[in-house]
Amino acid sequence: MDWNEILSDVEDINDPTLYEKVLIALDDIYCEDEDFMQLLISKLDTMHVTWDQPWYQTSLCLTRCTVTNYEDNEKLEKFRTTHFTNQECEQIKENWANFITEYDVPDMLQSFARWKNRDCKNPSSPHEQVRRFVTAYLAQGLERNMHQVYQYVVKHFGTPVKGNYSDVEKKLFNICFYFNEKDAVKNLSLLLGRNPRGIYKQLHQVHEGKPERKKLKWTLPLATKFLNLLMEHSQCSLEELKYKKFDKSVWLKLESDMDQQYQYLQKSWYNALHVQIFVKQDVKINRLRKKIIRILRDSPYEVWRDICWKDLTEHFPDGFTHTFLYKNFTCLLVGKTDYLKQPLPKVLDYILHKINTRRKNKRLRTLTYENGNLELISYKKNTKNQSKEE
DNA sequence: CAAATACACTGGGATTCAAA
DNA sequence: TTTGAATCCCAGTGTATTTG
């Protein structure tokens, strides 16, 4: 169904015939998915696990995580956590390609991924058996449990649409909420091919409105005020604040004291203030960036998304946070649109070129805390012995 | 009844990207 | 370059159903 055409000059979204079209589209999707599942079920008696599975792939639970990494048990090998790397994604694609050849089925991973068990709640029903077998098949060669693989497939193949909402999508959003709010999230996710989480957030905004955001101009006295309050509310000394995660209650107190949303304060703390206070040396930003490039070149990362920024902080002196590194590196990619898909070395070349062809080389501002006040440390130009940045 | 497992929903940090 | 809004997505929680 071509929604662009249907909705191109529709203003009145209350028109019931529009929702009828939505229902037809949804029904088409249901039928397509169900047909594909039926096809898989027809081959169920030939589906047997013939390969070795690590212990963590034997759990039958796909939709919620029931296995945990048993850190203490050294006999059991561990599975990977955090996001899937490029290599893992390729492995899944390869496994799927093998699957459709071996079982002679059409390439309809999306139908598999978005199918939901709506009627029969029996975990050992043929549908569920098929779902588990296919997931196990896709998990071959991966250090992941079944839940992780299934979630990955659902996310990347079931709801592949990303990015900002188009006008047509916004209209569909309004139509679905107007006619059937109860099922709107479910329906929209299916209709738009989008992750439901984003739709829930939109919904929340419809009900609660956007939070008001006030501008905050950071100055030394303001930063001092913030720091003193942070120490007071967390009952920590300055040194104890380093890399500390604070309870939400602490942030909420700060929110009311500073009259500013705590998420914003949080960001300012870890992105800037934390680094400025705890890094105790003269750092030139471009040197820092070049060091990141060197580290990434020596890493096994293949594409940008593989980068695990938290791990990078190990290579840097005390005080740096991963969000700071990320922020200072990524700002060089502004205007570059294809960096997510390009091989990492190519992206790094681009960044290096950008660093080398611009004149400014800013220093990191660092601060010292004395007698209850923050003060700026000034580094004299051309003094050697300060920078230990390799 | 407890355990296992499904779907629906939520919290909140991480990431992306366009506008200031 | 920086900022802020929007989105992405891991890791949970709540509740219903089925099995043993």
Side-chain angles (χ1 to χ4, degrees):
Chain A
M1 208 172 288
D2 186 359
W3 292 110
N4 271 315
E5 208 167 284
I6 295 167
L7 296 173
S8 62
D9 38 39
V10 169
E11 292 301 330
D12 177 23
I13 60 137
N14 302 351
D15 177 358
T17 62
L18 290 177
Y19 191 61
E20 278 167 28
K21 287 185 176 133
V22 166
L23 290 177
I24 290 169
L26 286 172
D27 195 53
D28 285 349
I29 296 173
Y30 281 128
C31 291
E32 190 177 285
D33 297 352
E34 184 59 35
D35 286 350
F36 185 62
M37 287 301 278
Q38 287 299 339
L39 178 65
L40 292 177
I41 287 170
S42 72
K43 312 200 174 215
L44 186 58
D45 50 356
T46 59
M47 292 180 178
H48 304 291
V49 175
T50 54
W51 57 92
D52 285 336
Q53 289 177 308
W55 66 273
Y56 48 78
Q57 285 183 7
T58 52
S59 161
L60 300 178
C61 189
L62 299 181
T63 59
R64 64 192 297 170
C65 190
T66 50
V67 271
T68 46
N69 251 326
Y70 292 101
E71 307 217 339
D72 302 333
N73 194 336
E74 294 189 359
K75 271 192 234 160
L76 297 174
E77 67 273 48
K78 295 186 173 64
F79 54 86
R80 283 177 39 81
T81 55
T82 73
H83 58 277
F84 278 57
T85 63
N86 192 48
Q87 214 172 13
E88 290 176 304
C89 304
E90 292 300 319
Q91 178 76 65
I92 288 181
K93 277 189 210 158
E94 195 186 314
N95 289 345
W96 174 250
N98 290 339
F99 177 83
I100 59 176
T101 310
E102 187 176 336
Y103 288 90
D104 189 28
V105 291
D107 183 5
M108 292 169 67
L109 188 49
Q110 183 173 27
S111 281
F112 172 78
R114 65 192 175 187
W115 182 84
K116 290 261 169 68
N117 201 343
R118 290 185 163 84
D119 319 313
C120 167
K121 298 281 180 194
N122 187 341
S124 53
S125 67
H127 283 101
E128 295 295 348
Q129 286 183 45
V130 157
R131 184 146 70 166
R132 289 193 193 112
F133 178 79
V134 176
T135 306
Y137 198 102
L138 295 177
Q140 283 180 82
L142 292 166
E143 294 171 42
R144 300 282 184 172
N145 64 46
M146 298 273 277
H147 168 69
Q148 290 173 306
V149 173
Y150 185 68
Q151 291 307 305
Y152 173 85
V153 170
V154 167
K155 191 175 63 199
H156 288 264
F157 298 98
T159 57
V161 179
K162 300 185 199 311
N164 289 352
Y165 287 72
S166 69
D167 287 343
V168 167
E169 285 183 307
K170 284 176 189 162
K171 278 182 188 168
L172 284 168
F173 188 94
N174 290 331
I175 291 167
C176 288
F177 272 99
Y178 181 80
F179 287 100
N180 181 357
E181 177 157 355
K182 188 172 153 285
D183 295 325
V185 173
K186 223 164 40 183
N187 290 343
L188 277 166
S189 171
L190 207 54
L191 201 59
L192 305 180
R194 282 178 177 275
N195 189 323
R197 186 75 194 91
I199 302 169
Y200 279 117
K201 284 226 162 147
Q202 292 254 341
L203 176 64
H204 183 78
Q205 242 182 44
V206 168
H207 289 309
E208 307 288 326
K210 281 187 195 177
E212 195 191 338
R213 175 149 297 179
K214 298 153 210 154
K215 272 270 173 193
L216 194 61
K217 175 91 184 123
W218 284 99
T219 58
L220 225 41
L222 192 65
T224 302
K225 180 186 169 194
F226 172 83
L227 182 61
N228 287 329
L229 284 167
L230 183 60
M231 288 196 280
E232 184 191 324
H233 292 316
S234 64
Q235 292 289 306
C236 290
S237 68
L238 183 71
E239 203 51 29
E240 285 167 344
L241 296 181
K242 199 198 291 179
Y243 293 120
K244 189 169 170 64
K245 288 192 81 177
F246 306 99
D247 194 71
K248 191 175 171 183
S249 62
V250 173
W251 288 111
L252 287 173
K253 282 181 197 160
L254 285 162
E255 177 172 279
S256 78
D257 288 344
M258 302 283 295
D259 191 29
Q260 183 67 231
Q261 274 188 33
Y262 78 90
Q263 292 95 333
Y264 176 80
L265 297 172
Q266 233 169 11
K267 214 172 155 187
S268 301
W269 170 246
Y270 290 110
N271 271 358
L273 218 46
H274 183 287
V275 177
Q276 293 173 349
I277 291 170
F278 293 119
V279 172
K280 297 293 182 195
Q281 52 186 269
D282 185 17
V283 176
K284 287 185 181 147
I285 299 296
N286 277 348
R287 269 197 170 170
L288 187 78
R289 289 166 173 159
K290 285 184 182 175
K291 184 170 173 182
I292 296 176
I293 291 180
R294 279 200 301 280
I295 295 166
L296 293 179
R297 279 203 203 284
D298 292 340
S299 73
Y301 302 137
E302 292 175 357
V303 294
W304 180 265
R305 277 227 175 88
D306 289 351
I307 301 170
C308 191
W309 290 93
K310 273 187 178 156
D311 293 347
L312 282 193
T313 51
E314 292 167 15
H315 301 272
F316 291 89
D318 230 14
F320 283 107
T321 60
H322 71 280
T323 49
F324 176 86
L325 297 176
Y326 177 82
K327 186 189 72 156
N328 271 282
F329 201 61
T330 317
C331 66
L332 295 168
L333 285 171
V334 167
K336 190 161 175 63
T337 50
D338 48 355
Y339 68 96
L340 288 176
K341 287 184 182 138
Q342 286 187 355
L344 191 56
K346 214 175 159 189
V347 180
L348 296 177
D349 285 343
Y350 173 87
I351 293 179
L352 186 62
H353 178 73
K354 228 173 166 180
I355 294 172
N356 287 333
T357 52
R358 59 176 59 194
R359 277 172 242 148
K360 274 191 188 168
N361 186 5
K362 286 214 269 183
R363 280 187 151 83
L364 174 69
R365 298 171 122 205
T366 52
L367 302 170
T368 168
Y369 183 75
E370 270 161 43
N371 307 323
N373 278 304
L374 282 172
E375 279 167 39
L376 204 60
I377 303 175
S378 74
Y379 292 101
K380 282 184 192 160
K381 280 191 178 175
N382 301 324
T383 35
K384 297 286 174 189
N385 78 345
Q386 284 171 339
S387 173
K388 288 178 194 161
E389 287 297 289
E390 292 191 353

